[in-house]
Amino acid sequence: MVALWNTAYVGLVESMFAESTSDGSVDFSRLAAGYAVVGQAWRLLAADLAVPLWARHACAVAAEEFERRAHVEFSRVGGGGL
């Protein structure tokens, strides 16, 4: 699951970097999808019973934040959310 999270985060960072170096136009749908995938990876880690309770809680909080950010970015393109 950690490998899944790493892959998701790398994708998000790549999309953020691509947007920061572009011509000024931002592809919010790409950012939203990146945030959503990372949020989902955090959710999977939060559900892993092998992870200590405190760490699962931290993962759940992180998932909420990434899901919130995905919703914001989807709203910018008129998608309304997940």
Side-chain angles (χ1 to χ4, degrees), residues 32-33 36 67-82:
E67 290 163 354
R68 182 196 66 77
R69 187 60 193 215
H71 181 72
V72 167
E73 299 303 336
F74 276 124
S75 295
R76 290 182 180 189
V77 292
L82 301 172

Side-chain angles (χ1 to χ4, degrees), residues 28 36 38 44 63 66-67 81-82:
F28 293 112
V38 174
L44 290 172
F66 279 89
E67 290 163 354
L82 301 172

Side-chain angles (χ1 to χ4, degrees), residues 4-57:
L4 173 68
W5 183 92
N6 285 336
T7 301
Y9 199 75
V10 165
L12 175 62
V13 170
E14 287 175 351
S15 68
M16 292 173 77
F17 181 74
E19 296 309 320
S20 70
T21 59
S22 69
D23 61 356
S25 62
V26 177
D27 183 358
F28 293 112
S29 60
R30 183 176 176 189
L31 287 174
Y35 280 117
V37 170
V38 174
Q40 183 179 28
W42 275 121
R43 266 298 157 220
L44 290 172
L45 284 171
D48 186 352
L49 297 178
V51 174
L53 182 59
W54 64 267
R56 290 193 334 236
H57 176 72

